[in-house]
Amino acid sequence: MRILVLGGDGYLGWPTALHLSARGHSVGIADNLARRSYDDELGTASLVPIADLDERVATWNDVSGHVVAPFVVDLSDFDAIDGVLAELEPDAVVHFGEQRSAPYSMIDRAHAVYTQVNNVVGTLNVLYAMAERDRSIHLVKLGTMGEYGTPNIDIEEGFIEVTHKGRTDTLPFPKQPGSFYHLSKVHDSHNIAFACKAWGLRATDLNQGIVYGQQTFETALHPRLATRFDYDAVFGTVLNRFVVQAVSGHPLTVYGSGGQTRGMLNIEDTVACVELALLHPPAPGEYRVFNQFTESFSVREMADLVVDAIPGEHVIEHIPAPRVEAEEHYYRAAHTKLVDLGLAPHLLDAVVIRGLADVVAEHVDRVDPRVMLPTVDWRMPLEARLRR
Amino acid sequence: MRILVLGGDGYLGWPTALHLSARGHSVGIADNLARRSYDDELGTASLVPIADLDERVATWNDVSGHVVAPFVVDLSDFDAIDGVLAELEPDAVVHFGEQRSAPYSMIDRAHAVYTQVNNVVGTLNVLYAMAERDRSIHLVKLGTMGEYGTPNIDIEEGFIEVTHKGRTDTLPFPKQPGSFYHLSKVHDSHNIAFACKAWGLRATDLNQGIVYGQQTFETALHPRLATRFDYDAVFGTVLNRFVVQAVSGHPLTVYGSGGQTRGMLNIEDTVACVELALLHPPAPGEYRVFNQFTESFSVREMADLVVDAIPGEHVIEHIPAPRVEAEEHYYRAAHTKLVDLGLAPHLLDAVVIRGLADVVAEHVDRVDPRVMLPTVDWRMPLEARLRR
C-alpha cells in the first residue's frame, strides 16, 4: 500500500511511518516541523534527544533498507500538499498533521486562533486535494476521545441510536470538547463527515485516547530513530509526566482531585491501530469512527500505579486544576471496533511503567523541573492575566 | 440597553439595528462591508437599491432623531473589534457578522476556507474580547436551523435528553450540517458553548430558519433605509427568489423534487426575535439555543403558494438539485422558546406574498435572469470542474 503520513515527524507520526514502512508499505512523510518550533517557543525539549528529519530518514534507510520519502510542507499551503498527493499517488493518507496540545491552544487568543485555523484549514486542504485528485484515497485521521467530553451516558464509537418521541435515528454522538484544541478536532470531524457525504470520500476518524510510552519496535532499533518524549505541562501527556516526576524526584502533580477518567493506550498500540484501519478501509462515501484506546484510568489511579511501580519514595501532590473539566464523573466508552479488527492491546502494568522509567533514567540529566508545572489557565487567557 | 450589532450593514443586521434603535436602545454597528464586495465578485446586486452605510445612518438620524454609530471594522482584526467594545461598553453584542451563503461556501476550496476562517475566527475574536473586557455582555449569535440537518427524529432547541443503556443525560443536539457554511455555524456553536463554560460568558444562539421579506416598519420609512433584497442563486433565499421569478416572468426553479422542508420566518419576526432574546438574557455562564422560525414549508409548497398568490400564469420547473441533501425527509422542529417570550409571528399567506411582489414589481427592471440559476455544484468543486 502507498501511504502518506502527515505530521510524520511528530511524537506518533514518526513511529507510525516507521511501523508502516517496516510492514512493507511504501511510505511518504509530510511535515512542516512545527512541533520542533513549539519547543523553541516554549523553551522545552524532548527528554529523549531526537534526530533531524533527514537524519531519521537516512538512519531508517541504513537500518532497514526501506526508503521513506520526506516532504517538508505546510498543510495550510494547498498547492504544496496537492503536489505531494500528485507525486505519491497514495492509497491512503494518515493525518497526524495538527497542533495537538490542549494547553497550547488555551495559552491566549493567538494560540486558540492558530490551533483552530491550522487544524481546520489543513484538513480542509487535504479533503479538497483528495476530492480533486482521487476520491478513492482512504483518509485515516487522528481525532481524540476528548471530542466526546464526559457525558453521563456511555460513549459509543462516533454514532448513537436515539429514540425520541416515538422515532429512532442513528446520529453523530453529541460532542462536548473541553479546549480550543479539542474543539478543532470536533470541527474536523464534522467537516470530514460532510466531505464523505458530498464527495464520496472514505475516512476513518480515530478518536484516540491519551498515549503513553516512548518506544516502538522500530524506534528502538537505533538512537537516531527515537521519537520524542514530552513531559512538560503543555505538550507532555499525563502518564509520561508522572514517570518523569517519579524518576527525577519531583512530586507527581495531580490536577484537582484526580478523578478525571480518560481512555489510555500504549504507543505500540497506536501504530498497530493505524495499520489495522488502513488494512480494513471503509466503503466509498463512508465516514466511520473508531475509539482508539485500550483501558480507562483516572488520573489518581495513574499516579498510584506509577508510585507503586517505581522503587523509592514518591509524593503525590494535588494542585488546583488549570482546566475546566469535571473532576469526578461517569465514564464508560466503547472501544471494540479495533479489537474486532485484531488489535491485541499492550496493557498498562508495573513492567511497562518500569520500562518507561528506564528510558527516563537514561536521560534524567535533561529533566527541566521548571516546565512540569502548569502555566496555562483555562479560565483566564494570558492577555487578561497580564492586564490585571 | 447598549447594543453592538456586528454585520449591521447586511440584509438582516441593518433592519435589526434600526429596530433596536427605534425601540430606544443605544445602538452601534460594526461591519467590514463584505456583503457589498461579494456582489462585486459575483456580478450581482440587491434588487432594491441600497444606500451606503454612511447615508443609511445619516438618513436614520434625520427620520428618527436617533443616532446609530457605525464602525467599519473586520472581525478578523482583534484589536479593531476589541477597540469597539472598549469604546461602546455594550450590554449585548448581536452577531450577524459572518459569511452567510451556503452556495458561496461551496464554490471552491478558497471560498470554503474563507467562510470557515472568517466566521470561526471572527467569533473567536468576539468571545476573547468579551472574556477580557466584560464577561457580563450577552452575546446574541445568529446560527441556523441548517446546523441540525434533517434527522429522522424531532429537532429540539439545541439540546436533547438521551436515555442510553439505562442512563440519561441532556446533551447537545447532534449536528448534521450540509455545507461548509452550515459547518462554520456548527463550529461556532461548539466554540461559544465552551466559552460560556470556561469563562462564564452568556450567549443565545439563534438557530434561524430561512428569512423572507424585505421590509420592516423602520426600513419602510425612507428609501435610503431599505435593506437589500437578494434573488440570485448564491445569496438569494428561496421564497424571495420565487417571487422575483414569478413577477419577472421566469420559471420558478425548484431543486429536485422540492420535498426539502425548512423552517421559515418573516424578516419582521427576525428583528422581533433578536429584541426578545436581548430583553430576556440568559444567566451568567449559560449557553442557550432558540430555534428562530415560525412555520415549516417544503420548497414545493412555497412554489405553489407563490404561484397561487401572484396573478398570472407561472411555470414551476424542477431542475437537478445542486446541493447534497435529502429531497424527501421527516421534518419536525421545536420552536416554542421565542413564542414563550412573547413572539407574535407574522405568518406566510397570499397577502404577504403579494406585498413582496409589489416590492419586486417596483424594481423589476433591475432583475438579471442570468444570476437566478445555480452555478455552484455541491458534488464538484470549481477546480475539479475546470480540470475536466
Side-chain angles (χ1 to χ4, degrees):
Chain A
M1 200 178 284
R2 299 171 66 81
I3 303 165
L4 173 61
V5 180
L6 307 176
D9 186 48
Y11 169 49
L12 299 177
W14 172 244
T16 300
L18 292 193
H19 181 69
L20 296 173
S21 177
R23 302 274 290 174
H25 302 292
S26 172
V27 175
I29 282 176
D31 204 295
N32 66 353
L33 312 183
R35 180 64 192 89
R36 295 172 190 258
S37 69
Y38 304 146
D39 271 347
D40 297 339
E41 176 190 353
L42 299 171
T44 51
S46 168
L47 184 71
V48 177
I50 56 171
D52 289 344
L53 179 55
D54 284 348
E55 294 176 294
R56 286 177 151 183
V57 165
T59 304
W60 178 244
N61 185 229
D62 291 345
V63 168
S64 72
H66 294 296
V67 173
V68 165
F71 297 83
V72 177
V73 299
D74 193 313
L75 297 185
S76 69
D77 179 346
F78 176 75
D79 290 337
I81 186 61
D82 187 51
V84 173
L85 281 195
E87 185 168 339
L88 287 188
E89 296 187 339
D91 303 302
V93 172
V94 179
H95 184 9
F96 285 95
E98 301 203 328
Q99 194 296 95
R100 66 154 173 93
S101 159
Y104 189 85
S105 76
M106 297 302 296
I107 291 173
D108 61 8
R109 188 196 65 84
H111 288 80
V113 168
Y114 162 77
T115 299
Q116 294 210 347
V117 171
N118 180 71
N119 293 2
V120 170
V121 173
T123 297
L124 282 175
N125 283 345
V126 171
L127 293 170
Y128 267 95
M130 287 167 54
E132 291 169 17
R133 295 233 164 249
D134 180 358
R135 296 187 178 189
S136 73
I137 296 171
H138 175 200
L139 176 65
V140 177
K141 166 67 164 54
L142 271 290
T144 164
M145 287 299 293
E147 295 186 35
Y148 301 117
T150 54
N152 196 34
I153 61 171
D154 283 25
I155 294 169
E156 302 301 329
E157 300 197 60
F159 297 89
I160 183 171
E161 187 180 288
V162 176
T163 298
H164 180 59
K165 296 183 178 171
R167 302 180 63 89
T168 299
D169 199 0
T170 298
L171 297 169
F173 198 95
K175 303 297 180 73
Q176 298 180 102
S179 76
F180 287 118
Y181 153 73
H182 290 100
L183 282 153
S184 77
K185 295 284 191 179
V186 171
H187 305 343
D188 282 341
S189 294
H190 283 103
N191 283 345
I192 296 168
F194 171 73
C196 289
K197 188 178 172 196
W199 300 330
L201 303 183
R202 57 174 109 199
T204 304
D205 209 342
L206 297 175
N207 279 355
Q208 187 168 247
I210 300 170
V211 182
Y212 59 85
Q214 190 268 336
Q215 290 187 330
T216 63
F217 179 82
E218 292 81 18
T219 67
L221 292 173
H222 191 287
R224 281 203 300 274
L225 298 179
T227 195
R228 47 184 310 127
F229 184 99
D230 300 308
Y231 63 98
D232 63 278
V234 176
F235 275 93
T237 52
V238 56
L239 189 79
N240 284 1
R241 177 166 53 81
F242 283 162
V243 172
V244 171
Q245 289 172 321
V247 171
S248 65
H250 293 91
L252 282 67
T253 44
V254 169
Y255 297 170
S257 73
Q260 306 94 319
T261 301
R262 298 291 184 265
M264 308 285 297
L265 74 163
N266 191 301
I267 189 171
E268 290 273 24
D269 292 336
T270 291
V271 302
C273 286
V274 171
E275 197 196 13
L276 285 171
L278 289 166
L279 294 177
H280 302 88
E286 185 184 354
Y287 168 75
R288 67 181 182 184
V289 180
F290 294 166
N291 290 349
Q292 180 165 308
F293 71 98
T294 59
E295 304 171 274
S296 295
F297 298 96
S298 72
V299 171
R300 215 161 38 214
E301 288 169 339
M302 282 185 269
D304 289 338
L305 282 171
V306 169
V307 163
D308 291 345
I310 299 179
E313 289 293 307
H314 307 291
V315 175
I316 294 175
E317 191 179 327
H318 291 263
I319 64 175
R323 302 187 179 209
V324 174
E325 61 187 4
E327 293 182 19
E328 305 292 336
H329 58 89
Y330 179 74
Y331 198 77
R332 191 179 155 86
H335 53 108
T336 59
K337 290 188 181 179
L338 283 158
V339 173
D340 290 346
L341 293 181
L343 178 68
H346 295 72
L347 299 182
L348 183 62
D349 60 18
V351 174
V352 169
I353 292 173
R354 283 196 287 270
L356 196 48
D358 290 344
V359 172
V360 172
E362 195 180 335
H363 303 283
V364 72
D365 56 307
R366 289 168 57 92
V367 172
D368 179 353
R370 294 171 305 178
V371 302
M372 293 192 291
L373 293 177
T375 53
V376 178
D377 181 349
W378 255 236
R379 291 171 182 81
M380 189 62 66
L382 185 62
E383 288 91 346
R385 269 182 288 155
L386 293 178
R387 261 183 214 173
R388 303 212 154 186
Chain B
M1 200 178 284
R2 298 170 66 83
I3 302 165
L4 173 62
V5 180
L6 308 177
D9 185 47
Y11 169 49
L12 299 176
W14 172 245
T16 300
L18 293 194
H19 181 69
L20 295 173
S21 177
R23 302 274 290 175
H25 302 292
S26 172
V27 174
I29 282 176
D31 204 295
N32 66 353
L33 312 183
R35 180 64 192 87
R36 296 172 189 258
S37 70
Y38 304 147
D39 271 347
D40 297 339
E41 175 190 354
L42 300 171
T44 51
S46 169
L47 184 70
V48 177
I50 56 170
D52 289 345
L53 179 55
D54 284 349
E55 294 176 293
R56 287 178 150 182
V57 165
T59 303
W60 177 244
N61 185 229
D62 292 344
V63 168
S64 72
H66 294 298
V67 174
V68 165
F71 297 83
V72 177
V73 298
D74 193 315
L75 297 184
S76 68
D77 179 346
F78 175 76
D79 290 337
I81 186 61
D82 187 51
V84 174
L85 281 195
E87 186 168 337
L88 287 187
E89 297 186 338
D91 302 302
V93 172
V94 179
H95 184 10
F96 286 95
E98 301 205 326
Q99 194 295 98
R100 66 157 173 92
S101 159
Y104 189 85
S105 76
M106 297 302 296
I107 291 173
D108 61 8
R109 187 195 66 83
H111 287 79
V113 167
Y114 163 76
T115 299
Q116 294 211 345
V117 171
N118 181 71
N119 293 2
V120 170
V121 173
T123 297
L124 282 176
N125 283 345
V126 171
L127 293 170
Y128 268 94
M130 288 167 53
E132 291 169 17
R133 295 233 163 249
D134 180 358
R135 296 187 178 188
S136 73
I137 296 172
H138 175 199
L139 176 65
V140 176
K141 165 68 165 56
L142 270 291
T144 164
M145 287 299 294
E147 295 186 35
Y148 301 117
T150 55
N152 197 33
I153 61 171
D154 283 24
I155 294 169
E156 302 301 332
E157 299 197 60
F159 298 89
I160 182 171
E161 186 181 288
V162 176
T163 298
H164 180 59
K165 295 183 178 171
R167 302 180 65 88
T168 299
D169 199 0
T170 298
L171 297 169
F173 199 96
K175 303 296 180 76
Q176 298 181 103
S179 77
F180 286 118
Y181 153 72
H182 291 100
L183 282 153
S184 78
K185 295 284 191 180
V186 170
H187 305 343
D188 282 341
S189 294
H190 283 102
N191 282 345
I192 296 167
F194 170 72
C196 289
K197 188 177 172 195
W199 301 329
L201 302 184
R202 57 174 108 199
T204 304
D205 208 342
L206 297 175
N207 280 354
Q208 186 168 249
I210 300 172
V211 182
Y212 59 85
Q214 189 268 336
Q215 290 186 331
T216 62
F217 179 81
E218 292 80 19
T219 67
L221 292 173
H222 192 286
R224 282 204 299 275
L225 297 179
T227 194
R228 45 184 313 127
F229 184 98
D230 300 307
Y231 62 96
D232 63 278
V234 175
F235 275 93
T237 53
V238 56
L239 190 77
N240 284 2
R241 178 165 53 80
F242 284 162
V243 172
V244 171
Q245 290 173 322
V247 171
S248 65
H250 292 92
L252 281 68
T253 43
V254 169
Y255 297 169
S257 73
Q260 306 93 320
T261 301
R262 298 292 184 266
M264 308 286 296
L265 74 163
N266 191 302
I267 188 170
E268 289 272 25
D269 292 336
T270 292
V271 302
C273 286
V274 170
E275 198 197 11
L276 285 171
L278 289 166
L279 293 177
H280 303 87
E286 186 185 352
Y287 167 75
R288 67 180 181 183
V289 180
F290 294 165
N291 290 348
Q292 180 165 308
F293 71 99
T294 59
E295 305 169 272
S296 295
F297 299 97
S298 72
V299 172
R300 216 160 39 213
E301 288 169 338
M302 281 185 270
D304 289 340
L305 283 171
V306 170
V307 164
D308 291 345
I310 299 178
E313 290 293 305
H314 307 290
V315 176
I316 294 175
E317 191 179 326
H318 291 263
I319 64 176
R323 302 187 180 210
V324 174
E325 61 187 4
E327 292 181 20
E328 304 292 338
H329 58 88
Y330 179 75
Y331 198 77
R332 192 180 154 87
H335 54 110
T336 59
K337 290 188 182 180
L338 283 159
V339 172
D340 290 347
L341 293 182
L343 177 67
H346 296 72
L347 299 181
L348 183 63
D349 60 18
V351 174
V352 169
I353 292 172
R354 282 196 287 269
L356 197 49
D358 290 343
V359 172
V360 172
E362 195 180 336
H363 303 283
V364 71
D365 55 306
R366 290 169 55 92
V367 171
D368 179 354
R370 294 170 305 178
V371 303
M372 294 192 290
L373 294 176
T375 53
V376 178
D377 181 349
W378 256 235
R379 292 171 181 81
M380 188 63 65
L382 185 63
E383 289 90 346
R385 269 182 288 156
L386 294 178
R387 261 183 214 174
R388 302 213 153 188

